[in-house]
């Protein structure tokens, strides 16, 4: 269990470092807001999928999703579980269109 929690901490730190290096004007500050409110719902491991908070959904409702998706790197995809992103987006009533891309990930049909 200690190795797993250590790995989770490292992944969270990598995500925070990526967000901290992003310009605040990138996607209207969307990275910072998403990291602050939603990171615990989209990081690996893929399961369990936890319903996001109202604050997270509020950020997702305002987010410039195409802009954010254009900034996703393969390093980000190593930390962020795109299946959880699909779940959170759907839960927050802002599903991405099937076939749309976010980084290298293509959203599946519902």
């Amino acid at each position: 269990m200690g190795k797993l929690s250590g790995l989770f901490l490292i992944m969270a730190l990598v995500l925070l470092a990526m967000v901290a290096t992003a310009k605040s004007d990138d996607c209207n500050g969307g990275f910072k807001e998403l990291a602050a409110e939603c990171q615990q719902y989209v990081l690996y491991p893929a399961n369990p999928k936890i319903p996001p908070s109202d604050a997270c959904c509020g950020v997702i409702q305002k987010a410039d999703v195409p802009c954010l998706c254009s900034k996703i790197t393969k390093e980000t995809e190593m930390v962020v579980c795109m299946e959880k992103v699909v779940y959170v987006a759907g839960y927050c009533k802002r599903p991405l269109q099937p076939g749309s891309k976010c980084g290298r990930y293509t959203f599946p049909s519902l």
Side-chain angles (χ1 to χ4, degrees):
M1 187 67 173
K3 287 183 181 181
L4 183 60
S5 55
L7 178 61
F8 179 77
L9 178 61
I10 290 169
M11 290 179 0
L13 291 173
V14 168
L15 179 62
L16 290 174
M18 289 186 298
V19 170
T21 58
K23 294 179 185 173
S24 62
D25 60 345
D26 280 349
C27 303
N28 298 320
F31 280 116
K32 289 181 182 180
E33 290 179 350
L34 280 171
E37 298 297 339
C38 299
Q39 78 175 8
Q40 66 268 32
Y41 307 110
V42 297
L43 295 178
Y44 279 106
N47 287 304
K49 291 177 178 69
I50 302 167
S53 66
D54 290 342
C56 175
C57 285
V59 170
I60 289 173
Q61 289 298 320
K62 296 184 297 182
D64 182 347
V65 175
C67 180
L68 291 169
C69 281
S70 73
K71 307 287 184 188
I72 299 295
T73 65
K74 61 183 174 182
E75 291 80 17
T76 304
E77 290 179 28
M78 292 173 61
V79 179
V80 174
C81 176
M82 297 308 287
E83 289 82 11
K84 281 186 170 181
V85 170
V86 170
Y87 170 76
V88 169
Y91 185 94
C92 294
K93 309 219 181 329
R94 185 121 189 249
L96 282 92
Q97 294 295 318
S100 62
K101 293 191 76 77
C102 200
R104 298 178 300 164
Y105 184 85
T106 301
F107 282 84
S109 298
L110 299 175

